[in-house]
């Protein structure tokens, strides 16, 4: 598998700054901060009510009242009470994508993806007590588990698109396993992250989660790094313009590997690798 850098875009002529630029930027930042603050307050109120009354018995009206806002304010921020349990995933997805977009040219794409998903761990680690309570609640309520699975799928799609976007288009042909490898590798990164995250949450949010995550990613890199390629070419070996760009087809197959959630990470990775080999063989 060969990765290439995207074609460089012509530089845009900078717009002359105006006196109103700074106030507008400040106002936008302030509005975003206020929005996130309200979302978190609503989520906190929801969590407290779920803990005392139970998830099913709690209503949106009660959540809004506990947060000191009107029902319509709740629905400006969340579509349902299930969504209120995960107030930060939208912003975290944006931050993860920003990591991918700002990746240095010499960095291996798989390493970039590993850095991107660390934004998710940072989100959970910022509020360990809330994260542990949320984890326990999602274990008890099937609807919340489904919401959590949907959130995980969004990260997998983001990382898969990123890896696919660095293929050499000249190498696309029938029987080429690059798209399959990219999807499985992206899934492996997410699996490694979630394995460490669950272990940390079961331990009450205690422990050096950063080093545990780095160890997990090293296993992913050993398993998939060689198959995916040596990384994007540097300035001394630029990719031909004709092969640059995303362009990976959406027709790659997806292989599903099944492993216990409490299995050691290296066993999980061996299962994924073996499944991939059997599919290709």
């Amino acid at each position: 598998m060969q990765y290439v850098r995207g074609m460089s875009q012509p530089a845009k002529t900078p717009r002359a700054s105006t006196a109103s630029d700074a106030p507008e930027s400040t106002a936008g930042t302030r509005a975003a901060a206020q929005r996130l603050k309200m979302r978190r307050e609503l989520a906190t109120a929801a969590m407290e009510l779920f803990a005392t009354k139970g998830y099913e018995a709690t209503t949106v009206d009660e959540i809004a009242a506990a947060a000191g806002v009107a029902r319509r304010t709740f629905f400006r921020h969340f579509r349902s009470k299930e969504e209120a349990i995960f107030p930060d995933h939208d912003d975290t997805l944006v931050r993860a994508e920003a990591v991918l977009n700002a990746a240095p040219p010499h960095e291996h794409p798989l390493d970039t993806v590993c850095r991107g998903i660390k934004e998710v761990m940072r989100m959970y680690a910022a509020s360990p007590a809330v994260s542990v309570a949320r984890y326990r609640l999602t274990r008890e309520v099937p609807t919340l588990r489904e919401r959590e699975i949907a959130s995980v799928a969004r990260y997998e799609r983001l990382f898969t698109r990123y890896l696919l976007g660095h293929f050499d288009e000249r190498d696309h042909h029938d029987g080429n396993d690059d798209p399959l490898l990219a999807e499985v590798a992206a899934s492996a990164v997410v699996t490694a992250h979630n394995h460490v995250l669950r272990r940390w949450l079961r331990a009450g949010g205690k422990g050096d989660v950063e080093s545990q995550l780095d160890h997990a990613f090293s296993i992913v890199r050993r398993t998939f790094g060689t198959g995916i390629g040596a990384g994007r070419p540097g300035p001394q070996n630029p990719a031909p313009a004709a092969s640059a760009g995303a362009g990976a087809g959406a027709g790659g197959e997806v292989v599903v590997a099944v492993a216990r959630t409490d299995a050691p990470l290296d066993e999980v990775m061996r299962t994924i690798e073996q499944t991939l080999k059997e599919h290709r063989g």
Side-chain angles (χ1 to χ4, degrees), residues 12-187:
K12 296 182 179 179
T13 303
R15 178 174 62 91
S17 61
T18 66
S20 63
D21 285 346
E24 288 178 359
S25 177
T26 302
T29 301
R30 184 164 55 248
Q34 291 173 344
R35 172 181 172 276
L36 183 57
K37 179 174 180 291
M38 176 53 66
R39 286 170 64 86
R40 288 176 174 172
E41 288 176 355
L42 287 166
T44 299
M47 289 293 296
E48 291 174 352
L49 285 169
F50 294 157
T52 56
K53 294 192 60 176
Y55 174 78
E56 296 296 343
T58 300
T59 66
V60 167
D61 287 336
E62 289 172 329
I63 296 172
V69 300
R71 173 187 174 90
R72 64 178 178 275
T73 300
F74 177 94
F75 284 111
R76 278 203 296 266
H77 294 277
F78 301 111
R79 289 171 293 185
S80 65
K81 65 180 183 180
E82 296 89 16
E83 196 171 90
I85 297 298
F86 308 100
D88 296 335
H89 270 302
D90 287 346
D91 295 314
T92 302
L93 191 70
V94 170
R95 291 199 302 275
E97 187 169 13
V99 170
L100 305 186
N101 292 338
H106 64 274
E107 186 173 52
H108 192 290
L110 194 55
D111 288 338
T112 305
V113 168
C114 289
R115 286 198 303 109
I117 202 171
K118 278 189 174 184
E119 294 297 324
V120 182
M121 184 64 79
R122 292 189 181 103
M123 174 191 72
Y124 282 95
S127 304
V130 173
S131 297
V132 170
R134 181 189 296 129
Y135 172 72
R136 290 170 179 167
L137 186 62
T138 56
R139 298 309 93 193
E140 300 170 0
V141 182
T143 304
L144 297 182
R145 282 203 298 274
E146 293 171 6
R147 173 72 62 176
E148 186 179 42
I149 291 170
S151 295
V152 170
R154 294 171 68 193
Y155 292 107
E156 287 191 2
R157 287 195 297 269
L158 172 66
F159 298 142
T160 298
R161 285 198 305 268
Y162 181 77
L163 293 177
L164 289 175
H166 292 84
F167 281 145
D168 185 340
E169 289 183 344
R170 296 169 302 174
D171 198 30
H172 291 318
H173 53 79
D174 291 340
N176 176 26
D177 289 329
D178 286 356
L180 173 62
L181 286 171
E183 291 195 44
V184 174
S187 178

